[in-house]
Amino acid sequence: MSTQSGRRRVVVTGMGVVTPVGNDVPTFWQSILAGKSGAARLASFDTADLEVQIGAEVKGFDATQRLDPKLVKRTDRFAQFALWAADEAVRDAKIDFEQEDRSRVGVVTGSGMGGIQVWETQFAQFLQKGPRRVSPLLVPMMIPDMACGQIAIAYGLRGPNYDTTSACASAAHATGCAFRHIMHGDADMMVAGGSEAAITRFTIAGFSNMGALSKRNSEPELASRPYDRDRDGFVMGEGGGIFVLEELEHARRRGAPIHCELAGFGATADAYHITAPDPDALGAVAVMREALADAGLRPEDIDYVNGHGTSTPLNDASEVKAILEVFGAHAAKLAVNSTKSMIGHGLGAAGAMELAAMVLQVKNQRVHPTVNHTAPDDGVGLDFVKGEARDCSIRAALSNSFGFGGHNACLLVKAWQ
């Protein structure tokens, strides 16, 4: 395997998640290994007049178990997800911020929709009762950058701080930008990832009317079918994933636990269509090659790909084409799976939850199944990890994230030994 030189190396020292199949890392890991689906009939609002009545909601989430009740009242669900996951990540990394130079610690998170739940509630209030009844907290609860703002406030972190919004690539872009802040010496440690809480009547109607969602209402647990011939759209999910990224020598000096090395990042655009991926997959090919080049690796060094794998015909076909193009004959030796087959599509948070899945798989040398994948397209020839989880020797792995608007991001991690 090729090696990097001449730049600061970045390792993952902490992780936290809140997902449709578990609200902490151990539960999430056991769930995805078992092939547990988080999809179900939507329970948080009335779906009687909606064409799509299923989704992958986070269950059993009580933000007050980790957050001050006053803060909970002043934050949208998407920011609560971020703060919840950050709490686990910081504890996992065993950080004592009292011992750190907080001006050298930053936060970058991604969200596609931000506080859409608060926006929707307050807009209804505006229409029904007039402008004077709109909450003065509307804006600070709604804007997507408030997740990273609240994390910085919670821990007093004064380094680089902003939000990335690039639809379903938002969290991957955020993590990649945080990686580069450390690599280039802007910070020694970054809290990064993303969160989304966009399952509402309004958004389900919007995504449904554009034809993006599965309408398999009678069998929600079978609805997310990445790379399967019987797919009919994605299942909307929600949740978040937050990581502590750290410069390698900084992590070593404080004896931090190291889960893996974050070694490469790519970012490209399709420049093709507002929602559809480029059928020639030029942007997807370029972003994987960029991540490989950034890490100084060859396609033959990769053993596993965590696919974007939405379960929409256009996305699946474009991504498969890109993998075949990038890896050539080596593609048949790759393990490929889609975490969305169990947690649905978490939109702007998807890249963070999937990075958590990838880090766990690389760390444990074991890959989770792509559930509901029973009928692959003819002539594809990729190993989509059907059936059950299995042991897998992984030296390095890629995670793909592609968003409406043609945004592409790819993260590369290497096993830590």
Side-chain angles (χ1 to χ4, degrees), residues 78-79 82 106-115 140-152 159-178 181 190-197 239 241-242 347-349 352:
F78 93 102
V107 188
V108 184
T109 61
S111 181
M113 309 287 277
M141 293 177 73
M142 176 187 73
I143 50 180
D145 61 304
M146 199 48 65
C148 53
Q150 289 284 9
I151 291 172
N161 189 296
Y162 54 90
D163 168 82
T164 58
T165 295
S166 50
C168 307
S170 298
H173 274 126
T175 309
C177 290
H181 278 303
M190 294 291 295
V191 179
S195 64
E196 197 81 273
I242 297 292
L347 307 180

Side-chain angles (χ1 to χ4, degrees), residues 243-262:
F243 305 87
V244 175
L245 309 181
E246 197 163 349
E247 192 272 328
L248 175 59
E249 296 308 319
H250 185 278
R252 281 175 165 160
R253 281 196 297 274
R254 70 178 190 89
I258 295 177
H259 296 299
C260 67
E261 179 174 2
L262 181 55

Side-chain angles (χ1 to χ4, degrees), residues 182-237:
I182 297 173
M183 188 179 76
H184 292 301
D186 304 328
D188 297 321
M189 191 183 296
M190 294 291 295
V191 179
S195 64
E196 197 81 273
I199 299 179
T200 71
R201 279 174 53 78
F202 188 54
T203 56
I204 288 287
F207 279 96
S208 173
N209 291 347
M210 74 162 64
L213 300 182
S214 171
K215 297 179 175 62
R216 203 181 293 253
N217 292 329
S218 62
E219 300 174 306
E221 71 282 359
L222 303 180
S224 185
R225 311 183 67 83
Y227 314 116
D228 187 88
R229 281 205 298 268
D230 294 331
R231 65 203 156 208
D232 69 333
F234 71 78
V235 173
M236 192 185 295

Side-chain angles (χ1 to χ4, degrees), residues 196-403:
E196 197 81 273
I199 299 179
T200 71
R201 279 174 53 78
F202 188 54
T203 56
I204 288 287
F207 279 96
S208 173
N209 291 347
M210 74 162 64
L213 300 182
S214 171
K215 297 179 175 62
R216 203 181 293 253
N217 292 329
S218 62
E219 300 174 306
E221 71 282 359
L222 303 180
S224 185
R225 311 183 67 83
Y227 314 116
D228 187 88
R229 281 205 298 268
D230 294 331
R231 65 203 156 208
D232 69 333
F234 71 78
V235 173
M236 192 185 295
E238 63 175 358
I242 297 292
F243 305 87
V244 175
L245 309 181
E246 197 163 349
E247 192 272 328
L248 175 59
E249 296 308 319
H250 185 278
R252 281 175 165 160
R253 281 196 297 274
R254 70 178 190 89
I258 295 177
H259 296 299
C260 67
E261 179 174 2
L262 181 55
F265 170 54
T268 67
D270 279 2
Y272 172 74
H273 190 270
I274 57 172
T275 56
D278 177 4
D280 293 327
L282 299 179
V285 168
V287 81
M288 284 187 273
R289 286 178 171 162
E290 189 174 309
L292 284 164
D294 193 38
L297 299 185
R298 306 162 301 169
E300 293 79 10
D301 296 322
I302 302 298
D303 296 307
Y304 162 63
V305 174
N306 186 281
H308 187 59
T310 58
S311 177
T312 60
L314 291 179
N315 176 83
D316 286 1
S318 176
E319 183 173 28
V320 166
K321 185 171 187 174
I323 291 171
L324 294 172
E325 174 68 22
V326 169
F327 292 96
H330 183 66
K333 300 179 181 178
L334 294 171
V336 180
N337 61 15
S338 169
T339 311
K340 291 185 180 73
S341 65
M342 292 172 277
I343 65 172
H345 192 345
L347 307 180
M353 292 188 282
E354 289 158 12
L355 177 60
M358 182 167 77
V359 169
L360 289 165
Q361 290 172 99
V362 171
K363 180 179 179 180
N364 292 284
Q365 300 285 286
R366 189 165 173 78
V367 289
H368 70 66
T370 303
V371 305
N372 303 323
H373 182 78
T374 57
D377 292 320
D378 293 336
V380 170
L382 290 176
D383 175 8
F384 289 115
V385 194
K386 293 182 286 187
E388 298 179 345
R390 66 170 188 246
D391 293 338
C392 182
S393 176
I394 307 172
R395 297 163 295 166
L398 295 177
S399 179
N400 287 330
S401 294
F402 308 135

Side-chain angles (χ1 to χ4, degrees), residues 42-80:
L42 290 169
S44 57
F45 50 82
D46 182 11
T47 61
D49 59 349
L50 293 172
E51 189 174 19
V52 171
Q53 301 175 342
I54 59 175
E57 295 172 297
V58 168
K59 301 152 189 79
F61 179 74
D62 177 2
T64 61
Q65 292 180 354
R66 290 187 186 173
L67 309 179
D68 186 323
K70 292 181 181 178
L71 177 61
V72 172
K73 290 182 179 178
R74 292 169 174 263
T75 48
D76 185 272
R77 185 174 168 91
F78 93 102
Q80 294 168 14

